[in-house]
Amino acid sequence: MFLKSAAVALTALLATSLTAKAETIPVLVPITGFLSLEGTSQRNGAVLAIERYGKDLGLDAEVTDTGTSPEGAVTALRRALEDKPSAAVASMLGTQMLAMLPIAGRAGVPLLTVSGTAKITEIGIPWVFRFFPGDSVVKVAQARYAIEELGAKRPALLHQTTAYGQSGAEHLRRIMRELGAPLVFEEAIDISVKDMLPALTRMQEAKPDLILLHLHSGSTALVIRQARDQNIALPILAGSAMHQPTTAALLEPKQLAGVCAESASSPISEPEGQVEDFTAEYRARFGTEPDAFALAQYDGVSMLIAAKNAGARTAAEVRDWLASNSYDGLAMTYKSDGKGNMAHDAVVVCYDGKSAVPVIKRRYENVSGVK
Amino acid sequence: MSDPRSRLALGVAAIALALYALFFAGDYALHVLTRAGIYAIAAIGYQLIFGRLGALSLAQGCFFGLGAYAAGLGALELGLGFPLTLAAGVLLPSLLAALIAIPVLRLASHYFALATLGIAQLALLVATNWTDVTGGANGLYGVPPIETGTLSFGHGLPLTLLVWACVGLALTVSHRMTAGQRGLKVETLREAPLAAAALGIDGSAIRFRFFVASAALGGLAGALQAHAVGVVSPDVLQFHVLVLILAMTVIGGRASPLGAVLGALLLVHLPEWFRDFADYYLVVYGAALLAAIIFLPRGLAGLFGKSEMPPVETADAEAPRDPAPHTLSVETVSKRFGGVTALDSVSLTLAPGEILGLIGPNGSGKTTLVNLLSGIDKPDGGRILLGDADITGKPPEYIARSGLCRSFQHPQIAPDLTVLESVEAVTAEGESAAARVTEAGLSDRANENAGTLPPAALKHLEIARALAAGASVLALDEPAAGMNEVERANLAALLKRLADAGHGILLIDHAMDFLLPLADRVICLSAGRVVAEGTPADVARDPAAINAYFGESPL
């Protein structure tokens, strides 16, 4: 009798534990190194979505730091593949994605990312799904806002030397030229550079009427701070790093006067609705402000869970579902363009010089014409 | 690895690792093992230049990255297949190292470090900004897995075995460069570079070989990395790659190729083992590294004992060879340092079998003269002949090989070498290290570390090295300094025997009760000029010598 009771109890326990943890979703993101701020946002978004929507499916998240090297990302992915997951959240760093994709392709596991690097969806590996608008979307929004709203005729561009920086610069250079306001100055800045005055001084000699930035978070804050300290009062239209609350926190509100930024979204700028609920929950869970990367990855994982709720179990089924369905996320509606580019909207936010919370000035929907 | 138990433990560990890789490791474990092997190759290379030679090169990460780019570009742009891509990966950094070696290797330690850092930064800038060729910050992607003929080493066990076969190759290269007398030369060069040069060791050639070899092995590792990861981005040229290789070399054990392998295995696996600490894994990783540095000062390889030569019986040593007789002639030699004239038209001769005493007050130019004779400084005027050969301004190693060696006021030794190893390091062809150790009266201490010798024994060791290097002329700078009466008597007897055997000896010392009875002739220098010359008795009574040096006659 005792043995029978024990066997029943053990079976129940095993069944419970199996139900409680049916699958671990690997979250392979850079939480150390120069992309730690953005990578942490990406991690938080993924974890929050799994905690909120994945519990009923027995989903759990296992976070692995990829650092910023391709080999670090490959190692993390190979480790994750040991458990044969049906999908993985993968780094927002383009060079890491380029290293991981062939391996994911061979293993047949879809990677969900918020990387902005254009090439990851151009190399013909159909296992990548990008939930953050690529440069072909956000750079169009940035260029159009510069010309249509800010009246730029002589824009200058400061961009990072990283893959992100070079990719965005290439797009901005082309789009600005096509829109009739070619760049009058351009300089690439290494991620380790702290003194921006030489670049700003050279830029001033070109007499620009607008500063375009396409830099990571730290460099963005340094350029704006040093430009304002030098009384350079030109309007600044920055890349998506500037919309991040962690970037704005590095600056005084008055230094942010005349500063705008492109982004996929700006959760803290949404005063009501589901995005506000997300923001409140994010703050409570992580004690910090969410940004567009967090929201995009949250939406991406939510779509993955939607796929599973719709019956996709294997990695191939998940991929097929993601590739062929649209999903109404909090930031936008996501739909693949056939290459894995899921996000096609952008916003431009601006600071008023009194607050560190930007206002959404304009939305650019379906820029790539996919939806 | 001196004791059999350590060798056994190491052998068992190697076999266990091989069995684990062959039968138990999954894809992920094999991948980590492959990474460890790749870094082991780079660390074995780095150990040659940093660990063995003590030169802090900050370019090893650069060579690693260049190897990766060469292999990647070879495969993607030139359509080269394996192993040509591997050859390209080895060749490009080797060529760069050979090109920069001549100016860079002349620099003193910190300037050498800065110069190599500059080269590494330059390579990083080129990789990042030469977008058309390198792919810019995105780098090169789609580098094909390794395949040759019908064999595929793309990933998993075949790749791991290939990489570890390359580790074996790297260990062989390292062993060939550092085994036996070659290794002893390198140790002497690192610990006592001036003495090494003055004893005939060609430091420039050794530094060049080691720098190029370190670059070649760094490039080999980079090329394997390119194929294993499939992407080459500027990240492979970043400073953190060098830091990782440096940490592997230090924690593994600076002077042992085995240490490089152990260091790579540990440092690649540690972060993986600590993944479960989530956000704190780097803290735990750092603590583990710190503990390794504190508790394993000789590195992991130190756990397996120090590599030692077998003890040598010196009792049966062959009799030392007599030197080829050379007369040393110094003709009106001058030397200036800025506005100070250190030597002014000094001339002297030293015949085979003669002991010539060189005396004078501090600053009179005695050591400067020895520096000119041994090639450490170059004269501004005059000539120095050894026999018929003009050795004026020649490099120290050339002069030493010609037959003139010197000792130093403060003995320059490699403290971790035994007496016998110290002598073996510089022993010329046909000479016997054991015989010279015996001749110098050090046979009882032959297997003691040089660093543990008392001062008098160190002076004898310097003489033994000079003899083993084939010196017919010895320039000895204060060999009796700090000795007691018995030690001086022993040294005097040794020098007398050497002179009787045909060695010419230029002897500098301030102990007149030691020098004057021993010398056949004496020269007194003052303010860089010869003020007295003759037999010891003549010079001791010479008013100029008394005025300049003695104060009153010592006789």
Side-chain angles (χ1 to χ4, degrees), chain A residues 65 69 71 75 78 162-163 166, chain B residues 35 39 128 137 225 235 281:
Chain A
D65 178 22
S69 70
E71 62 172 289
T75 304
R78 287 200 183 278
T162 59
Q166 289 185 348
Chain B
R35 278 185 64 201
Y39 277 107
T128 306
Q225 166 95 331
D235 185 78
Y281 84 100

Side-chain angles (χ1 to χ4, degrees), chain A residues 4-292:
Chain A
K4 187 179 176 186
S5 302
V8 169
L10 186 62
T11 307
L13 189 67
L14 283 172
T16 306
S17 67
L18 286 173
T19 305
K21 192 175 175 183
E23 184 183 352
T24 296
I25 301 295
V27 179
L28 318 174
V29 292
I31 50 180
T32 55
F34 71 88
L35 264 185
S36 59
L37 284 177
E38 294 89 339
T40 302
S41 292
Q42 189 186 5
R43 175 195 66 179
N44 292 349
V47 168
L48 193 61
I50 289 170
E51 287 177 353
R52 187 168 188 185
Y53 300 118
K55 289 293 179 195
D56 293 344
L57 290 168
L59 296 183
D60 196 5
E62 181 169 302
V63 178
T64 302
D65 178 22
T66 59
T68 51
S69 70
E71 62 172 289
V74 165
T75 304
L77 178 61
R78 287 200 183 278
R79 184 175 190 255
L81 292 177
E82 296 269 289
D83 294 333
K84 303 191 185 317
S86 61
V89 173
S91 171
M92 64 191 306
L93 186 58
T95 49
Q96 293 194 322
M97 285 301 296
L98 289 169
M100 285 194 281
L101 270 170
I103 298 164
R106 280 197 296 274
V109 173
L111 302 182
L112 284 62
T113 185
V114 292
S115 171
T117 303
K119 283 195 168 57
I120 65 170
T121 52
E122 294 171 355
I123 57 175
I125 298 177
W127 292 92
V128 60
F129 296 93
R130 184 216 310 270
F131 288 86
F132 199 86
D135 290 332
S136 59
V137 174
V138 289
K139 293 301 112 180
V140 169
Q142 189 178 11
R144 283 178 56 188
Y145 195 85
I147 292 169
E148 294 166 3
E149 305 295 330
L150 300 176
K153 290 186 172 56
R154 296 178 55 79
L157 171 64
L158 300 177
H159 65 88
Q160 215 85 69
T161 55
T162 59
Y164 162 80
Q166 289 185 348
S167 171
E170 190 181 326
H171 280 82
L172 276 174
R173 201 179 297 129
R174 179 179 53 76
I175 299 166
M176 294 302 286
R177 188 176 60 244
E178 288 172 0
L179 294 177
L183 300 175
V184 296
F185 178 82
E186 179 183 344
E187 183 155 327
I189 296 175
D190 187 82
I191 195 79
S192 62
V193 172
K194 304 290 180 244
D195 183 2
M196 305 297 179
L197 281 182
L200 288 169
T201 304
R202 283 191 289 274
M203 181 201 71
Q204 278 183 292
E205 288 176 5
K207 301 191 187 318
D209 58 7
L210 171 80
I211 304 173
L212 292 168
L213 301 183
H214 188 68
L215 302 163
H216 295 296
S217 175
S219 299
T220 299
L222 283 170
V223 166
I224 293 173
R225 176 185 292 279
Q226 292 176 26
R228 294 311 187 225
D229 286 349
Q230 293 299 308
N231 296 318
I232 300 173
L234 291 171
I236 296 174
L237 181 49
S240 51
M242 187 59 249
H243 94 283
Q244 291 179 266
T246 45
T247 308
L250 299 171
L251 296 158
E252 299 295 328
K254 66 179 180 184
Q255 292 173 320
L256 287 167
V259 174
C260 298
E262 52 81 1
S263 179
S265 66
S266 178
I268 61 170
S269 305
E270 303 276 2
E272 56 191 19
Q274 288 182 307
V275 177
E276 190 200 17
D277 296 341
F278 161 82
T279 300
E281 191 174 348
Y282 188 99
R283 282 179 184 140
R285 173 68 174 81
F286 301 109
T288 184
E289 300 288 324
D291 57 23

Side-chain angles (χ1 to χ4, degrees), chain B residues 38-243:
Chain B
I38 287 171
Y39 277 107
I41 295 167
I44 291 166
Y46 192 53
Q47 192 201 50
L48 290 174
I49 188 74
F50 171 68
R52 289 290 183 153
L53 278 181
L56 181 58
S57 166
L58 299 179
Q60 189 69 359
C62 163
F63 296 141
F64 181 88
L66 285 180
Y69 269 102
L73 286 169
L76 296 172
E77 300 298 324
L78 303 178
L80 298 180
F82 183 85
L84 286 178
T85 51
L86 211 59
V90 172
L91 207 57
L92 180 66
S94 303
L95 285 174
L96 177 68
L99 198 66
I100 62 177
I102 294 164
V104 163
L105 287 174
R106 291 169 184 268
L107 299 172
S109 60
H110 45 299
Y111 292 109
F112 173 73
L114 281 175
T116 49
L117 176 64
I119 289 156
Q121 289 301 303
L122 195 62
L124 176 61
L125 279 174
V126 170
T128 306
N129 294 303
W130 197 12
T131 312
D132 292 343
V133 173
T134 63
N138 271 326
L140 309 167
Y141 52 90
V143 180
I146 295 172
E147 284 179 359
T148 173
T150 55
L151 295 175
S152 172
F153 299 92
H155 58 278
L157 187 59
L159 180 61
T160 307
L161 292 177
L162 176 71
V163 165
W164 280 89
C166 291
V167 173
L169 177 70
L171 285 171
T172 306
V173 169
S174 173
H175 179 73
R176 288 186 69 87
M177 293 182 75
T178 57
Q181 193 191 31
R182 289 193 197 100
L184 301 177
K185 280 181 193 289
V186 170
E187 181 87 1
T188 306
L189 181 62
R190 185 184 72 233
E191 295 294 336
L194 269 184
L199 291 163
I201 294 176
D202 189 349
S204 300
I206 292 174
R207 287 191 193 95
F208 180 85
R209 279 201 302 273
F210 275 51
F211 191 50
V212 173
S214 74
L217 291 176
L220 172 64
L224 290 167
Q225 166 95 331
H227 285 291
V229 176
V231 165
V232 183
S233 75
D235 185 78
V236 290
L237 289 159
Q238 295 279 3
F239 197 62
H240 66 80
V241 175
L242 168 78
V243 173

